[in-house]
Amino acid sequence: MNSPGSNDTHAVEQSTRAAALELGQRARAAARLMLSAPDSAKSAALRAMAERLQQGKQALQEANAKDLEAARRNNLPAALVDRLTLSDKALATMTAGLQQIAAMPDPVGIQSTSVVRPNGMRVGQMRVPLGVIGIIYESRPNVTIDAAALCLKSGNATILRGGSEAFHSNQALGEVIRAGLKDAGLPQDAVQVAGTTDRGLVGELVTLTEHIDVIIPRGGKGLIARLAAEAKVPLLKHLDGNCHVYIDAAADLDKAHDIAVNAKTYRYGICGTMETLLVHRDVAGAILPRLAATLRDKGVELRGCEQTQALVSGVGPATDEDWATEYLEPILAIRVVDDLQQAIEHIARWSSGHTESIVTENLPAATRFQREVDSSSVYINLPTCFADGFEYGLGAEIGISTNRLHARGPVGLEGLTTYKWVLTGDGQLRG
Amino acid sequence: MNSPGSNDTHAVEQSTRAAALELGQRARAAARLMLSAPDSAKSAALRAMAERLQQGKQALQEANAKDLEAARRNNLPAALVDRLTLSDKALATMTAGLQQIAAMPDPVGIQSTSVVRPNGMRVGQMRVPLGVIGIIYESRPNVTIDAAALCLKSGNATILRGGSEAFHSNQALGEVIRAGLKDAGLPQDAVQVAGTTDRGLVGELVTLTEHIDVIIPRGGKGLIARLAAEAKVPLLKHLDGNCHVYIDAAADLDKAHDIAVNAKTYRYGICGTMETLLVHRDVAGAILPRLAATLRDKGVELRGCEQTQALVSGVGPATDEDWATEYLEPILAIRVVDDLQQAIEHIARWSSGHTESIVTENLPAATRFQREVDSSSVYINLPTCFADGFEYGLGAEIGISTNRLHARGPVGLEGLTTYKWVLTGDGQLRG
């Protein structure tokens, strides 16, 4: 007993590791059982959860009240308290989400077009669940329901690890989920809400490669960067949405004006918001003063290159730091470029690979931009704020990925599945 | 200058890091240029390499002779020396491979079925290169050509890091590749052969997440496990091929016999070889003695569960270690199971997730096995040794993946690409 402090630390680490391992093992066992779960059972579970959310409203709001009290005691900003609140409206939105996901077509089991090889064997691919998905998120308790629903519908087992601010709310929502799974005869470990907010648990989960197949972090850039540094389990994530709109020489300037305004002002805080506007020098004089006036009326601060500053008075200088920044604020960086080539190079250098758009009526320019810009979404004549699974027709979205492997851009149910090769023969032999 | 030794080590580490960084930066720059490379240029480069392989045969074999001399000096096993040799036949095979890959359809730019959303904007996906691919491999110099060709055809930039045994051969092949790229007007850094066999370089490459998008290790399990432990860059890999054939109660026993023999004996050393045979107890007595006789005639050692031992004399006992082992040798483990459920459970517990097959004439059994067995390839009435990109019709294969994310099973050109979302509108706005 020479160093009791270090022994205590060791004991805590051990117990955290054991807790992570138990979550992982239970999830893996549940994932195996989920392989034979028909869509009728998955949808029934989601509908049962929807019903229980409404029936259990009082208990949920009582649990939520404990979190809200702690939040006020800790002087959390009003916006955070607002997100944390399980109001009647928030619960109604979650209920509707469950019903909507229940009604979506099952992504599991879908078989691709298959081919018959010269020897007569048939080769195809079948969509299957990814396996075990970990979700690590911050204060919004609605993520507990939304993420659980999408992962369950796609046949996965899920480990949910929410923030300490929403601990009581998440535990209560976890009970609703377990009860719904039980109602439908599905394994209750198919969705587990971690019963501790011990910070060490996150570090254990992101290295549990044997039992967790992918982790989806939902939260601020700080959380995600920290997880990425520690993780051995693959993360499905994006860090930044530094999105660009390029107004080409052949743009319809009315469309360009409206697209740029919408891309910047639809909502300042979402990842698809335009952060830098690139304008071809041939049309900069015709579009920039008018566009600047509209944006300023809406309270947007403008920062620009020298040419922009020459065309619009009162614009501050944009530096390399501006080109690199996802403002998430009513600020816009503007650069006048010599040509399409320079626009593509600017994007290659500064973009975070999220979403970019060209405004042009010229087909070769549009085609070249869409081929050569290497981001997860590339648009023609659309504002970048369309970057959203619902808008793409995915029905729902677990998040947006700027990874290059697996799922890119908005990730819906299909992104929560993988495939296996399925071959059928009649005794063909090799060699 | 108090600790010159440590300063020297530090200097070496610094220079290794700088070398990795330079490879990565050059590759990233080349990858950007490759985004606009048409298939005509990529194919022309591959055909030019094929021609230069034949024309430059003498220089290649001279470089190879240096490696062979060192190999003999170091008493490398004959099989390794054989693999290392750039014989006329080996060069002819590589030449044919280049021509074949040149002739394959370009995977880049393919657009999926697209949909038109209610607001009129069109949403689809376009296949694009993964970006920068690192290949880390052992003694076979043919990988230098094969991997370079597949990665180039799919529009990627590649960093090749071969083993020290093949250093001179790989450098000479790298010259052929560079010359071929130059002939076709493509960036010469699109394929880089690392100019050092410093072991530290591998450690640097697998953590260079900013410049390398995926690493494909080719080699023994030891190499791959070591890389997996260190890597921050995603690996496209498999560790083990512990493959199973299950002979169901409703199997056609003649087919079952031939499939099992082929699965075990087609080649012992490939990852698709059957390592454990599972047999339903209702047919074990009818099939096992006959099958055992055939396998023993071919020199296969049999190890079995108690029931197997009771049915076939002279079979040694199989332990948990046998169920877990990829022998890659003429050894087969055999277990009699009570039913399909027990077969699925055995596979879930012991399989490496590579390839499994059921032999049955019963449709529900086949369907259930194919749905519930969670491996990268699942067969009906076929030997597991079909696990190969050529057999699946992929035309060529960079390797086999047991990853769950991105590409699973045999990986061809498509597995070396990813997709981006492409949206086309005419000024639609959000909200």
Side-chain angles (χ1 to χ4, degrees), chain A residues 371-372, chain B residues 33-47 102 106-108 152-155 184-187:
Chain A
R371 172 142 188 178
E372 294 186 28
Chain B
L33 295 171
M34 287 297 294
L35 290 171
S36 57
D39 188 50
S40 54
K42 297 187 289 188
S43 301
L46 295 173
R47 283 190 296 262
D106 189 358
V108 172
L152 182 71
K153 181 75 184 190
S154 47
L186 290 177

Side-chain angles (χ1 to χ4, degrees), chain A residues 28 32 34-39 42 106 108-109 111 115 117 119 121-123 125-126 128-132 213-214 227-232 234-236 255 258-259 262 266-267 270 348-349 361 367-383 385-388 390-394 403-411 414 417-431, chain B residues 28 32 34-39 42 106 108-109 111 115 117 119 121-123 125-126 128-132 213-214 227-232 234-236 255 258-259 262 266-267 270 348-349 361 367-383 385-388 390-394 403-411 414 417-431:
Chain A
R28 180 63 76 202
R32 283 192 185 141
M34 287 298 294
L35 288 172
S36 58
D39 188 51
K42 297 187 290 188
D106 189 357
V108 172
Q111 288 201 28
V115 298
R117 299 290 299 149
N119 68 358
M121 71 183 189
R122 180 173 292 280
V123 177
Q125 294 180 335
M126 185 193 286
V128 295
L130 274 177
V132 176
D213 297 302
V214 63
L227 293 181
E230 292 175 30
K232 294 298 296 179
L235 301 183
L236 208 56
K255 278 185 213 166
D258 295 351
I259 287 171
N262 191 233
Y266 167 68
R267 277 171 64 193
I270 61 173
R349 171 147 186 215
E361 304 291 303
T367 304
R368 186 175 163 210
F369 186 88
Q370 211 159 40
R371 172 142 188 178
E372 294 186 28
V373 169
D374 190 23
S375 296
S376 65
S377 292
V378 188
Y379 298 172
I380 298 168
N381 292 330
L382 291 167
C385 57
F386 272 118
D388 176 278
F390 288 92
E391 297 293 335
Y392 285 29
L394 303 183
N403 289 11
R404 300 190 68 83
L405 269 67
H406 194 69
R408 277 187 107 189
V411 180
E414 186 178 299
T417 64
T418 180
Y419 63 86
K420 64 184 172 196
W421 291 93
V422 287
L423 274 68
T424 305
D426 191 31
Q428 287 86 346
L429 303 179
R430 186 167 180 197
Chain B
R28 181 62 77 202
R32 284 191 186 143
M34 287 297 294
L35 290 171
S36 57
D39 188 50
K42 297 187 289 188
D106 189 358
V108 172
Q111 289 201 27
V115 298
R117 299 290 299 151
N119 68 357
M121 70 183 188
R122 180 173 292 280
V123 178
Q125 295 180 335
M126 184 193 287
V128 295
L130 274 177
V132 176
D213 297 304
V214 64
L227 293 181
E230 292 175 28
K232 295 297 295 178
L235 300 183
L236 208 56
K255 278 184 213 165
D258 294 351
I259 287 170
N262 191 234
Y266 167 67
R267 277 170 65 192
I270 61 174
R349 173 148 185 215
E361 303 292 303
T367 305
R368 187 175 162 210
F369 186 88
Q370 210 159 41
R371 172 142 187 177
E372 293 186 27
V373 169
D374 190 24
S375 295
S376 66
S377 291
V378 188
Y379 298 172
I380 297 168
N381 292 328
L382 291 168
C385 58
F386 271 119
D388 176 278
F390 288 93
E391 297 293 337
Y392 285 29
L394 303 182
N403 288 11
R404 301 191 66 82
L405 269 67
H406 194 68
R408 277 186 109 189
V411 180
E414 187 177 301
T417 64
T418 181
Y419 64 85
K420 63 184 171 195
W421 292 92
V422 286
L423 275 69
T424 306
D426 191 32
Q428 286 86 347
L429 303 178
R430 186 165 180 199

Side-chain angles (χ1 to χ4, degrees), chain B residues 264-280:
Chain B
K264 184 68 226 178
T265 67
Y266 167 67
R267 277 170 65 192
Y268 297 117
I270 61 174
C271 55
T273 296
M274 167 178 69
E275 305 291 9
T276 295
L277 174 70
L278 303 169
V279 185
H280 192 287

Side-chain angles (χ1 to χ4, degrees), chain B residues 53-349:
Chain B
L53 265 193
Q54 289 305 314
Q55 288 168 356
K57 194 186 281 189
Q58 201 187 332
L60 287 166
Q61 291 178 333
E62 280 168 17
N64 186 234
K66 293 185 201 166
D67 291 329
L68 293 175
E69 203 186 301
R72 289 192 200 98
R73 217 169 34 234
N74 296 325
N75 294 314
L76 250 66
L80 281 187
V81 174
D82 191 48
R83 284 193 214 160
L84 191 56
T85 307
L86 289 180
S87 63
D88 283 7
K89 195 183 155 205
L91 287 170
T93 304
M94 288 153 73
T95 304
L98 284 166
Q99 279 155 342
Q100 188 212 339
I101 293 168
M104 287 172 68
D106 189 358
V108 172
I110 293 173
Q111 289 201 27
S112 66
T113 306
S114 62
V115 298
V116 176
R117 299 290 299 151
N119 68 357
M121 70 183 188
R122 180 173 292 280
V123 178
Q125 295 180 335
M126 184 193 287
R127 283 270 138 211
V128 295
L130 274 177
V132 176
I133 299 178
I135 313 275
I136 296 174
Y137 55 111
E138 292 177 334
S139 67
R140 291 172 181 264
N142 64 308
V143 172
T144 308
I145 293 293
D146 296 349
L150 285 165
C151 294
L152 182 71
K153 181 75 184 190
S154 47
N156 297 286
T158 315
I159 298 170
L160 294 157
R161 204 287 190 184
S164 53
E165 309 84 3
F167 179 75
H168 296 99
S169 313
N170 287 337
Q171 293 300 312
L173 291 166
E175 285 309 309
V176 166
I177 293 169
R178 281 184 84 82
L181 289 164
K182 194 177 173 194
D183 290 345
L186 290 177
Q188 292 187 61
D189 289 335
V191 181
Q192 295 177 88
V193 175
T196 163
T197 56
D198 169 12
R199 298 202 89 180
L201 185 69
V202 169
E204 294 296 331
L205 292 175
V206 298
T207 55
L208 206 62
T209 50
E210 199 186 336
H211 296 299
I212 305 183
D213 297 304
V214 64
I215 283 179
I216 305 177
R218 300 270 302 248
K221 192 176 164 180
L223 169 74
I224 296 172
R226 186 163 54 81
L227 293 181
E230 292 175 28
K232 295 297 295 178
V233 177
L235 300 183
L236 208 56
K237 64 165 201 312
H238 77 274
L239 280 175
D240 269 324
N242 185 10
C243 303
H244 298 73
V245 172
Y246 164 61
I247 300 178
D248 185 49
D252 174 317
L253 296 187
D254 289 335
K255 278 184 213 165
H257 172 273
D258 294 351
I259 287 170
V261 171
N262 191 234
K264 184 68 226 178
T265 67
Y266 167 67
R267 277 170 65 192
Y268 297 117
I270 61 174
C271 55
T273 296
M274 167 178 69
E275 305 291 9
T276 295
L277 174 70
L278 303 169
V279 185
H280 192 287
R281 62 179 180 191
D282 290 356
V283 293
I287 182 84
L288 278 181
R290 180 182 156 202
L291 186 57
T294 310
L295 289 169
R296 279 175 172 166
D297 276 354
K298 292 179 175 274
V300 178
E301 178 194 335
L302 305 178
R303 301 179 190 175
C305 65
E306 283 183 16
Q307 284 168 275
T308 303
Q309 289 179 290
L311 289 167
V312 187
S313 63
V315 170
T319 64
D320 278 1
E321 203 188 317
D322 289 290
W323 309 138
T325 298
E326 180 191 26
Y327 297 116
L328 297 173
E329 300 272 355
I331 307 173
L332 177 68
I334 305 176
R335 182 179 172 194
V336 175
V337 293
D338 292 342
D339 52 18
L340 174 58
Q341 174 69 25
Q342 200 174 47
I344 291 173
E345 284 169 6
H346 181 101
I347 292 169
R349 173 148 185 215

